Amino acid sequence: RIRVKCGGTCGVCNEAGTPRCIDQEDFDGQCRGFVRYCRLVPAIRVKCPVTCRIDPRDCHQFGGGLVTKVVRYNPPPTGKCYPPRIAHARVLNSGPLLNPGEQLQVECESGYSLIGDNTYCEIQNTFKPDSRRLPACVKLGNEEYKGRGADYTGTLSTTLSGRTCQNWLASAHQGKFMKVSRGFDMMEGGNHNYCRNFGDDPVPYCFTLNGQIKDYCFRLPHCGGSRTDPCGEIKENREDCYAEGVDIEPWDCAFTNEFSRARRQWLWDFCGAMCCEYAGCQ
């Protein structure tokens, strides 16, 4: 069969076509760093067939032109780094520059907590943890909030759907958001996965499903806040709320995610008193 004989041509077996494959590493351990990209980058499957667990007979999955120019991944260049500026923090490393591979040392201001993985001085390497994602100093502790929750600084990281929140900054760096404004929202969230509210959503939220869904962390807004908050002042039910054929119940005011907001907003606009009463605010 052609699949059995095409090993050398496909670049995954020796020239004799026998089903023996080798990883064509440029330096020891290179393929281990590429494992997560085996399914995404065809050139890596060609370069690291053993690590990627490629069946040598399945050469047909590789394009002929691709294999003749297998990408060579050399060790990344090194150099010294300028200490970054981190909000509400002080960098403790001595000297004006960090040496290659030196770990960043950070101390937060009083009232802020240090979160995020350790990061080191390196030129960005696509196949290693993202060095753009610096440790962050975040204000934590306030599980209560007013209105929409702009003041929420708690540590809830699970949504009403039961999904775990994604790291805000990691979602931004993945670049899978649907529009630019959402990317800015993710960037503002910072290097953590706690529920927050940076805009006009009715409750604190986070992103799930690779940044595609804005999932809500609470069912209802809280009392108080500003006049623009859902229950920031006494609300009334408008005539449309009692229109013939309108069949609604107080629990219909509850939110689940950004899609439910579109359906529920009419209730909050026309039946504000009912919704705020259900939320325990009047």
Side-chain angles (χ1 to χ4, degrees):
R1 296 170 58 183
I2 294 177
R3 289 196 306 168
V4 176
K5 296 181 179 181
C6 69
T9 302
C10 289
V12 295
C13 299
N14 61 17
E15 294 182 359
T18 54
R20 289 185 297 150
C21 303
I22 59 172
D23 286 343
Q24 305 170 61
E25 295 183 311
D26 297 325
F27 54 91
D28 186 49
Q30 183 183 31
C31 282
R32 289 196 300 270
F34 293 164
V35 171
R36 72 180 68 180
Y37 302 99
C38 283
R39 294 184 178 182
L40 301 177
V41 184
I44 290 179
R45 295 200 296 272
V46 175
K47 188 177 186 64
C48 307
V50 176
T51 299
C52 292
R53 299 182 179 181
I54 299 299
D55 186 333
R57 296 173 301 174
D58 289 338
C59 302
H60 66 286
Q61 67 177 294
F62 302 115
L66 173 68
V67 182
T68 58
K69 299 180 180 180
V70 175
V71 179
R72 294 182 62 83
Y73 294 96
N74 297 317
T78 61
K80 294 190 175 184
C81 306
Y82 286 101
R85 293 182 179 180
I86 299 177
H88 309 293
R90 182 166 65 98
V91 175
L92 302 179
N93 300 75
S94 60
L97 294 174
L98 277 66
N99 293 315
E102 181 178 353
Q103 181 178 333
L104 183 67
Q105 303 292 333
V106 178
E107 180 180 68
C108 295
E109 296 177 0
S110 176
Y112 290 83
S113 299
L114 181 65
I115 58 176
D117 297 329
N118 293 329
T119 190
Y120 303 85
C121 171
E122 69 169 356
I123 296 176
Q124 179 61 44
N125 182 353
T126 304
F127 299 101
K128 284 188 176 180
D130 199 326
S131 58
R132 295 172 298 174
R133 213 145 45 241
L134 298 172
C137 291
V138 178
K139 181 166 291 207
L140 300 175
N142 185 12
E143 294 293 342
E144 296 298 323
Y145 65 88
K146 296 179 180 179
R148 301 177 187 275
D151 60 340
Y152 178 74
T153 57
T155 57
L156 181 64
S157 58
T158 303
T159 68
L160 294 171
S161 65
R163 302 186 184 100
T164 299
C165 297
Q166 293 180 242
N167 183 293
W168 294 79
L169 203 53
S171 296
H173 290 163
Q174 288 172 358
K176 295 181 179 179
F177 43 85
M178 294 182 287
K179 48 188 177 182
V180 174
S181 60
R182 177 157 295 191
F184 283 121
D185 199 0
M186 293 173 176
M187 291 288 287
E188 188 174 358
N191 189 11
H192 62 82
N193 73 329
Y194 303 129
C195 302
R196 294 290 185 265
N197 192 347
F198 302 105
D200 63 350
D201 284 87
V203 294
Y205 61 90
C206 66
F207 290 98
T208 61
L209 298 179
N210 289 323
Q212 300 305 308
I213 300 294
K214 182 186 287 187
D215 255 346
Y216 290 156
C217 303
F218 299 89
R219 298 174 62 248
L220 296 163
H222 286 187
C223 310
S226 68
R227 295 184 61 184
T228 59
D229 282 291
C231 298
E233 58 182 3
I234 299 298
K235 301 291 185 179
E236 296 182 356
N237 293 329
R238 298 169 58 175
E239 292 184 2
D240 305 67
C241 186
Y242 305 106
E244 185 177 352
V246 176
D247 184 16
I248 56 176
E249 298 292 345
W251 47 85
D252 292 330
C253 300
F255 296 96
T256 55
N257 54 40
E258 60 183 323
F259 303 113
S260 71
R261 179 187 179 182
R263 298 191 297 271
R264 302 291 186 260
Q265 195 59 52
W266 184 91
L267 290 175
W268 284 91
D269 290 341
F270 291 92
C271 308
M274 180 188 72
C275 290
C276 286
E277 182 179 0
Y278 183 61
C281 298
Q282 67 181 60

